[in-house]
Amino acid sequence: MTALLEVKDLRVSFFIPAGEVQAVRGISFTLEKGESLAIVGESGCGKSVTVQSIMRLLQSPPAKIAGGSILFQGKDLLKLSEREMEKVRGNEIGMIFQDPMTSLNPTMKIGKQIAEGVRMHRKVSTEDAKRRALEMENLVGLPHPERRYDQYPHEFSGGMRQRTMIAMSLACEPKLVIADEPTTALDVTIQAQILELMKDIQKRLDTAIILITHDLGIVADLCHRVVVMYAGKIIESGSIEDIFYNPQHPYTWGLLKSVPSIHSQEKRRLVPIPGQPPDLIKPPAGCAFMPRCKYAMKVCVEHDPADFQINNGHKAACWLLHPAAAAIKEAAELEARA
Amino acid sequence: MNNNETIMEVKNLVKYFPVAGETFGKSSLLKAVDDVSFTIKRGETLGLVGESGCGKTTVGRTIMRLYEPTSGKVIFKGKDIVSAKPNEMKSIRRQIQMIFQDPYASLNPRMTVSDIIGEPLDIHRLAKGNARKNRIHELLQMVGLNAEHATRYPHEFSGGQRQRIGIARALAVEPEFIICDEPISALDVSIQAQVINLLEELQENLGLTYLFIAHDLAMVKHISTQVAVMYLGKIVEIADSHELFANPQHPYTQALLSAIPTPDPKIAKEHKRIILEGDVPSPIDPPAGCRFHTRCRFAKDICAQQEPEFKGDSKHQVACHLI
């Protein structure tokens, strides 16, 4: 069986006056049908650039896709013409953006905005498009769909706008939905509503999801697999169980230990990751995490670590996993998990 | 720490903002903070949590009199700030400082770090010449930066470093009480922990008292001694931090806590969320009775008619009819 989406050695750079920012530096991952994948990492690690490349939304210049391929159902999205790409966007791949305030058209009625995508991609009458839009409003739990159809975005709360975005992204029954920080702008109780909705919809429609977030709690709740990015590379990937219960990369350890848990009984000091991510205009020759890594070795300075396979589906790029570093790794792991 | 002395007491604090009405000439009131009371002991941290628009930031700003309170008292070290005269206010503001949410907007981009941190020293005439320079370097070291950063501009720093500059500026006048208004919500997770640890260290070393305003409940639990939960301008529950998270009483607190995603797949799978229906009502015309009754799972007739009083002991107070 071929994967729904296969990203191979993707490289994306931005050309700015100060030089070439290598935002994504050769990443590969696959996504199966109906699977939900989280991409986590800090601002600037390249997670948004990755999904915007999949949707071909990056403006060029300054952005340039420097290499790699993105196979969606077997066809390379990077080779499609703009015309062909329009048939993919919103139709085969839907997208939910972070900020529902700015991603809706303020001068257009909500119902029309949902119906617009349907009319563009399907040969349907105005009435049928409206019927579909009302159906979608119902699906995402907008109360009084008929009345909501004729309202404008400013009459909606943040949560309702995000429901509208979800309705728009799903109206054409895409096989894949990309959600870029879909709940970051929302309050926790509204976030809970949206997460329940996304879980429910995924179960019912069997849509594959790529979720970008920095909240590990959301990942644990919503996703099957996780890709951890750092400085434009994937440093670890695996199932949520692998990443939460058997993390292998020191950066993943750091991410997990720097957030407090509301379930912990005793109070412990948080363990921050010292320093900050490197400048991607001059990315380091070795491991990009080396300057912040407590366990860095000589090899980390000069050589970028290769991927080490931990088990089927769980990979990490760290020299500690090399057999020669076994003793150091054991000590580091003991300490990191204490 | 100076055991048990109450440093800050807020009594029945009210702040209404006039807003233009639907028709011309008619204005109505936005009840941002409506009868809020709490006390904070020296060296402790009160966490103030709630969703956007619940009035938590307004509480912080009204305490500093950045907004004039509509009514109520703010008693700092035995003296009511609300009735303080302008010249008294200047010395009070030296003792109460604020750290802001957005480290990009709260530093003047045209001032060097040394000017930013030195400004409060100049305003309060605390140091001049070499003493000023040394104090700035000392402050930079205190927050984990160093002397060579002094001549640079804010844009040369990352978000976490800028927040450190904001903290150094607040510390310059040796305050006793610091209002931290969402100090970490603009930062990345790995950087958040750095700033939280810094705030904790400073509290231990300098005996600071914090009012910590945030919506990240896990962080609030981590840093606070006491936590107050706000909903639509009112505190609905206030308790010792551990007690509040272990034993939440108010239906809103329960929903709020259950809504937090847990970074643990096993717990997340078994966890049943309490989903609140609908959105927070407008603070311009808040619901009568208990303000939460429109979204409460347990609401009874009385909840719509009567405003609930606080019940419980000094360690845990809840405003709910059903307790």
Side-chain angles (χ1 to χ4, degrees):
Chain A
M1 189 180 112
T2 53
L4 178 68
L5 179 77
E6 193 174 358
V7 174
K8 275 191 207 157
D9 197 30
L10 179 69
R11 289 165 194 279
V12 187
S13 288
F14 288 82
F15 291 89
I16 58 167
E20 177 190 355
V21 180
Q22 303 179 20
V24 174
R25 303 188 292 144
I27 65 165
S28 306
F29 63 88
T30 56
L31 181 72
E32 304 295 336
K33 200 170 164 283
E35 189 179 39
S36 115
L37 173 82
I39 304 182
V40 298
E42 296 174 80
S43 349
C45 73
K47 52 194 195 304
S48 286
V49 174
T50 302
V51 296
Q52 282 173 13
S53 312
I54 295 174
M55 285 297 254
R56 294 258 308 269
L57 288 173
L58 291 169
Q59 227 183 32
S60 177
K64 186 168 181 255
I65 295 181
S69 62
I70 298 173
L71 299 174
F72 177 72
Q73 294 183 310
K75 64 182 171 217
D76 190 350
L77 296 182
L78 297 180
K79 294 212 170 82
L80 297 187
S81 67
E82 185 51 38
R83 200 63 179 278
E84 290 166 316
M85 199 56 214
E86 269 170 19
K87 291 194 186 120
V88 174
R89 276 188 215 120
N91 188 24
E92 293 178 69
I93 307 178
M95 185 140 182
I96 304 166
F97 296 93
Q98 173 172 355
D99 188 354
M101 314 287 167
T102 51
S103 33
L104 292 172
N105 182 344
T107 66
M108 196 172 171
K109 287 177 180 168
I110 291 287
K112 276 232 163 104
Q113 296 195 44
I114 301 174
E116 189 185 31
V118 183
R119 292 205 60 194
M120 181 163 169
H121 294 295
R122 304 265 184 277
K123 284 197 177 97
V124 292
S125 63
T126 323
E127 291 78 47
D128 284 343
K130 179 170 179 178
R131 202 168 306 131
R132 178 75 183 146
L134 289 172
E135 237 174 74
M136 295 314 295
E137 287 187 27
N138 233 334
L139 177 78
V140 298
L142 281 175
H144 316 294
E146 284 280 354
R147 200 169 79 217
R148 296 295 178 198
Y149 191 93
D150 286 320
Q151 286 185 320
Y152 289 93
H154 77 267
E155 299 174 83
F156 276 30
S157 67
M160 276 161 55
R161 285 180 215 184
Q162 202 55 298
R163 284 176 196 269
T164 307
M165 283 294 297
I166 295 175
M168 284 167 67
S169 74
L170 291 171
C172 293
E173 297 177 326
K175 303 235 169 38
L176 168 65
V177 171
I178 297 174
D180 189 352
E181 306 251 8
T183 58
T184 308
L186 306 175
D187 275 312
V188 269
T189 60
I190 307 299
Q191 167 173 295
Q193 293 175 357
I194 299 293
L195 291 179
E196 284 301 310
L197 173 68
M198 287 178 67
K199 263 209 276 198
D200 178 52
I201 285 176
Q202 199 202 2
K203 231 182 267 165
R204 275 201 275 172
L205 308 181
D206 200 28
T207 314
I209 294 181
I210 295 180
L211 176 80
I212 293 190
T213 180
H214 57 261
D215 188 332
L216 292 166
I218 297 177
V219 175
D221 192 18
L222 205 68
C223 298
H224 304 122
R225 278 201 307 127
V226 189
V227 162
V228 184
M229 283 187 74
Y230 187 80
K233 293 200 172 203
I234 294 177
I235 55 106
E236 185 162 5
S237 62
S239 70
I240 51 170
E241 285 81 15
D242 292 333
I243 301 293
F244 282 91
Y245 301 133
N246 187 27
Q248 297 292 319
H249 196 286
Y251 178 64
T252 317
W253 297 340
L255 275 187
L256 291 167
K257 286 196 91 174
S258 58
V259 287
S261 159
I262 67 155
H263 294 284
S264 72
Q265 292 301 311
E266 84 281 26
K267 184 176 165 138
R268 59 166 176 90
R269 262 282 138 100
L270 299 177
V271 187
I273 305 171
Q276 47 206 313
D279 184 352
L280 291 177
I281 291 184
K282 291 183 287 274
C287 172
F289 188 60
M290 184 274 298
R292 302 175 79 187
C293 184
K294 239 168 119 175
Y295 312 107
M297 301 172 287
K298 239 189 225 152
V299 61
C300 307
V301 184
E302 286 150 24
H303 300 282
D304 206 6
D307 271 342
F308 290 90
Q309 192 94 23
I310 289 97
N311 64 33
N312 191 19
H314 187 188
K315 277 191 288 190
C318 177
W319 286 121
L320 286 177
L321 294 164
H322 193 274
I328 307 172
K329 165 150 199 281
E330 211 166 299
E333 225 173 14
L334 273 177
E335 190 189 61
R337 290 198 183 158
Chain B
M1 222 98 314
N2 209 332
N3 41 45
N4 279 348
E5 179 206 346
T6 294
I7 186 166
M8 173 66 77
E9 183 175 9
V10 172
K11 265 191 186 166
N12 309 102
L13 189 70
V14 174
K15 177 66 194 173
Y16 294 163
F17 293 100
V19 285
E22 301 250 314
T23 42
F24 292 113
K26 239 192 183 173
S27 79
S28 45
L29 290 172
L30 186 150
K31 298 177 175 171
V33 175
D34 206 354
D35 196 10
V36 161
S37 305
F38 55 79
T39 59
I40 311 176
K41 295 198 179 95
R42 187 181 284 275
E44 296 197 339
T45 301
L46 173 74
L48 196 56
V49 299
E51 299 177 88
S52 5
C54 74
K56 53 190 193 302
T57 293
T58 310
V59 168
R61 295 192 165 192
T62 314
I63 287 176
M64 278 206 91
R65 277 181 69 192
L66 294 176
Y67 299 142
E68 285 302 325
T70 307
S71 70
K73 283 186 171 149
V74 178
I75 299 163
F76 177 66
K77 297 208 290 181
K79 190 169 174 14
D80 187 8
I81 297 181
V82 176
S83 56
K85 296 190 183 71
N87 58 339
E88 292 172 314
M89 215 41 226
K90 189 172 167 188
S91 90
I92 290 170
R93 288 223 174 94
R94 198 191 138 184
Q95 299 166 61
I96 306 180
Q97 283 290 308
M98 197 154 184
I99 299 167
F100 297 93
Q101 171 173 5
D102 186 346
Y104 292 85
S106 57
L107 302 177
N108 187 335
R110 294 195 289 190
M111 281 164 83
T112 62
V113 168
S114 133
D115 289 334
I116 289 170
I117 301 175
E119 195 175 30
L121 296 173
D122 302 339
I123 291 171
H124 293 281
R125 301 204 180 109
L126 295 176
K128 269 204 261 181
N130 252 341
R132 180 179 183 271
K133 196 170 144 195
N134 291 338
R135 175 72 179 141
I136 290 168
H137 291 174
E138 187 193 4
L139 285 161
L140 282 171
Q141 252 143 35
M142 225 189 263
V143 298
L145 298 170
N146 53 52
E148 70 194 48
H149 290 130
T151 51
R152 301 208 200 153
Y153 287 90
H155 76 264
E156 299 173 65
F157 294 89
S158 67
Q161 288 176 319
R162 284 183 211 208
Q163 204 54 299
R164 287 172 192 270
I165 296 168
I167 294 171
R169 174 175 62 185
L171 292 175
V173 293
E174 298 178 15
E176 295 173 48
F177 186 85
I178 298 185
I179 298 169
C180 310
D181 189 1
E182 304 256 15
I184 52 163
S185 46
L187 307 176
D188 268 313
V189 269
S190 75
I191 311 294
Q192 286 186 354
Q194 292 178 8
V195 173
I196 288 292
N197 280 0
L198 173 65
L199 287 172
E200 283 182 322
E201 273 159 37
L202 292 169
Q203 181 165 45
E204 279 159 30
N205 298 339
L206 306 173
L208 298 169
T209 310
Y210 293 141
L211 173 65
F212 190 88
I213 301 169
H215 63 261
D216 180 340
L217 287 127
M219 263 319 169
V220 168
K221 180 188 180 210
H222 176 82
I223 198 169
S224 308
T225 348
Q226 215 191 158
V227 175
V229 181
M230 281 187 80
Y231 185 78
L232 263 184
K234 284 190 178 291
I235 291 181
V236 296
E237 185 162 6
I238 180 165
D240 285 358
S241 174
H242 187 77
E243 163 73 11
L244 185 95
F245 284 87
N247 185 23
Q249 295 286 313
H250 197 284
Y252 178 63
T253 314
Q254 290 169 355
L256 199 60
L257 294 186
S258 91
I260 308 166
T262 316
D264 185 327
K266 275 184 202 140
I267 299 178
K269 291 244 154 59
E270 289 156 17
H271 181 70
K272 265 267 159 264
R273 283 207 193 92
I274 305 168
I275 301 289
L276 291 179
E277 299 288 321
D279 291 298
V280 184
S282 159
I284 294 177
D285 189 15
C290 171
R291 293 193 175 178
F292 184 59
H293 84 261
T294 52
R295 299 171 79 199
C296 183
R297 302 183 288 160
F298 309 111
K300 298 215 161 54
D301 291 347
I302 184 175
C303 303
Q305 292 148 8
Q306 250 180 55
E307 213 170 283
E309 307 249 309
F310 272 107
K311 287 174 217 160
D313 52 22
S314 62
K315 279 199 169 349
H316 195 159
Q317 292 206 305
V318 196
C320 177
H321 285 301
L322 304 168
I323 308 289

